[in-house]
Amino acid sequence: MASKLPDTTKSLGAGAMDVEDGSGGGGKKVAGKWPGFVHFFFVLTVVMCALVYAPRFLSPAVSVDFLGLRQPALGRAAEGQGQGVHGGRVNEGEALVLDNQVGSPCASMGGHDICCDRSDYNTDVCFMAGDVRTDAASLSLPLYPPPNGTANANANATVAEKEEVVRPYTSKWEKGVMANIQEVRLRAARPDEADGHRCDVRHDAPALVMTAGGYTGSLFHTFNDGFLPAWLTVQHLRRRVVLAVLVYNPWWAGTFPELVSGLSRHHVIDLLHDKRTHCFPGAIVGSRFHGILAVDPARTRDNRTLVDFHDFLAGAYKDDGATEPHTTSPAPQQRRRRPRLGLYSRKGTRVIENEAAVARLAVSVGFDVSILETANGAPLSSEYAAVSACDVLAGVHGADLTKLLFLRPGRAALLQVAPLGVPAVARGCYEKATTMMGMQYEQYDAAANESSLVRKYAADDVVLRDPEAAKQGGGWDLIARVYLSGQNVSLDLDRFGDTLRRLHARALRLPVAGP
């Protein structure tokens, strides 16, 4: 039934998002404005870079969450119109695989099963097919057995012995942050437990259990650890999925409502505070991860790429919901405009101290220059509009360069300024994503005489003379304290001008983009 509705990726509403928290009504509204507090874990950003069908035993009084609308149940006939999960597939007009990963051990799971893929270094992902219900008291997802005679008895016996625990976050190698990610228990329920866990809300789509915790106060981690892995995991379900979120918070909800509603057409469930029993025809706990801001088409059944994720973002943030073409044909009738360079202006640390002179230099080279403020409180939709209009996005290494995902694939370029001691980390964060989108990657490595560290250390100090040796001796504490938190840059205009001229010449060689 739901598959007959338009499959759009628009927001649920301008500036607001619905969340199921058990408070009654259809969920509370969370303002969609960027809050006054934004936590930037830039040091932690660099750490990351260094590397169904379900039988329904409900009374007619139970409420149903159908496409995000609270409705009274219509009895057994209406219940049969929802989705079901068979063999790990969601059926709604067409069979959709719950696990979209190529070569996954869970791709062939049965209609009543629990399966976990723990083979990835970064993340564990578990899948549940069948009658899945939430148990808020124990933060668990019991899987209830099907009615007698609807499944193989031996299979039921095998499932009855299964129990798994998952921390749904994509940094399982990092013990410090994972200790703060709630553990979700997946288990087979006994038939006699059903009466004590009757459904308060029944959903006709599977759940994706994810977290808004971890490092997601940083824009880089919000995308790299959160939304990109979530999209990888459920994009093939075409928004027919319910997001059940751990550590649901106003900043996350108010900053990213377009992305949340782009992933799912249903209300979000605040998993830690909603005490009702939610019932699903299946569940996914955890998210897939292909690398830092990466999508590997060989690992998805539908051969998705990072350009497809860009298109998802474009659909979420553009007013008309349409994605721009990735290539353009020449349009001789149009007057060639000056290429636009967007320059991120940082505050606090890793600031370009001669920013005004750099901007004037870019203008003299032939660019129109836009100064982009970091953490300026603007909604991401306006950030998308500003960045997507740029031919070149430039800035010192930091979380704001994650917005390279907003640039036009196949046309734009990223110019990353790497402060002293940071080049390898800077390249590891953003080079691969840039090239995956068919764009030009340029990195300007600041020399010692361009670093403000020359005012703190003697010329022969190892910090200036040999940053690699200094980092080996001082470890991560020195990297974070000195090279990331302790320096600004003042760029050599002659040397930086060479880089700008190269990027300007490239922009002029590209076909003129359409309006």
Side-chain angles (χ1 to χ4, degrees), residues 274-359:
D274 191 334
K275 304 305 180 184
R276 296 172 298 175
T277 297
H278 290 262
C279 297
F280 306 93
I284 307 169
V285 185
S287 301
R288 294 293 186 185
F289 188 81
H290 288 183
I292 297 169
L293 297 179
V295 177
D296 181 355
R299 296 175 63 182
T300 62
R301 294 174 183 268
D302 46 3
N303 304 116
R304 293 299 185 183
T305 68
L306 192 60
V307 172
D308 291 309
F309 183 65
H310 163 83
D311 291 347
F312 163 76
L313 298 176
Y317 288 129
K318 292 185 70 173
D319 289 341
D320 59 3
T323 59
E324 66 273 13
H326 304 146
T327 59
T328 56
S329 300
Q333 74 279 8
Q334 292 182 340
R335 181 177 62 86
R336 180 175 292 279
R337 63 178 177 82
R338 287 163 59 94
R340 177 166 297 280
L341 181 141
L343 179 63
Y344 266 110
S345 178
R346 291 180 57 87
K347 302 293 188 294
T349 186
R350 282 170 279 151
V351 171
I352 300 176
E353 294 180 337
N354 60 339
E355 179 183 286
V358 169

Side-chain angles (χ1 to χ4, degrees), residues 33-291:
K33 296 182 179 179
W34 190 294
F37 58 93
V38 178
H39 304 290
F40 286 98
F41 299 101
F42 57 84
V43 172
L44 300 177
T45 297
V46 178
V47 173
M48 184 63 192
C49 292
L51 302 165
V52 144
Y53 181 77
R56 297 170 175 178
F57 308 100
L58 303 180
S59 66
V62 72
S63 62
V64 175
D65 177 16
F66 176 71
L67 299 184
L69 302 175
R70 296 294 304 280
Q71 302 178 3
L74 301 178
R76 301 293 296 185
E79 292 170 7
Q81 297 175 1
Q83 307 185 123
V85 176
H86 293 279
R89 296 174 181 269
V90 178
N91 297 296
E92 188 181 70
E94 60 182 37
L96 296 177
V97 180
L98 267 187
D99 184 3
N100 197 40
Q101 183 90 348
V102 172
S104 168
C106 300
S108 60
M109 63 187 294
H112 173 68
D113 202 357
I114 300 173
C115 178
C116 292
D117 184 354
R118 302 185 186 273
S119 62
D120 192 276
Y121 179 75
N122 295 284
T123 185
D124 292 330
V125 188
C126 293
F127 301 85
M128 306 178 74
D131 183 1
V132 179
R133 308 183 189 184
T134 60
D135 183 357
S138 61
L139 194 55
S140 64
L141 296 176
L143 175 65
Y144 286 83
N148 293 334
T150 63
N152 182 277
N154 292 332
N156 287 341
T158 301
V159 173
E161 299 172 359
K162 288 188 176 181
E163 182 168 327
E164 303 279 357
V165 291
V166 187
R167 297 182 188 271
Y169 193 60
T170 56
S171 294
K172 76 176 187 181
W173 51 273
E174 193 173 355
K175 294 182 179 179
V177 67
M178 293 302 288
N180 295 316
I181 304 297
Q182 288 84 357
E183 194 172 69
V184 180
R185 181 184 174 205
L186 288 60
R187 65 180 181 86
R190 301 185 311 274
D192 59 5
E193 294 182 59
D195 287 343
H197 290 87
R198 291 185 178 275
C199 300
D200 296 315
V201 183
R202 178 189 292 147
H203 304 267
D204 70 341
L208 171 68
V209 179
M210 60 183 292
T211 182
Y215 294 147
T216 52
S218 156
L219 185 71
F220 172 85
H221 287 288
T222 298
F223 278 85
N224 186 69
D225 306 357
F227 284 113
L228 178 52
W231 176 85
L232 269 175
T233 307
V234 302
Q235 55 81 22
H236 62 290
L237 299 178
R238 302 176 185 176
R239 299 178 68 230
R240 297 191 291 271
V241 65
V242 180
L243 304 185
V245 179
L246 299 167
V247 198
Y248 181 92
N249 61 83
W251 176 82
W252 185 86
T255 306
F256 308 106
E258 299 94 342
L259 301 188
V260 171
S261 59
L263 291 173
S264 170
R265 59 175 60 150
H266 299 261
H267 293 316
V268 175
I269 297 174
D270 183 350
L271 205 54
L272 295 181
H273 297 99
D274 191 334
K275 304 305 180 184
R276 296 172 298 175
T277 297
H278 290 262
C279 297
F280 306 93
I284 307 169
V285 185
S287 301
R288 294 293 186 185
F289 188 81
H290 288 183

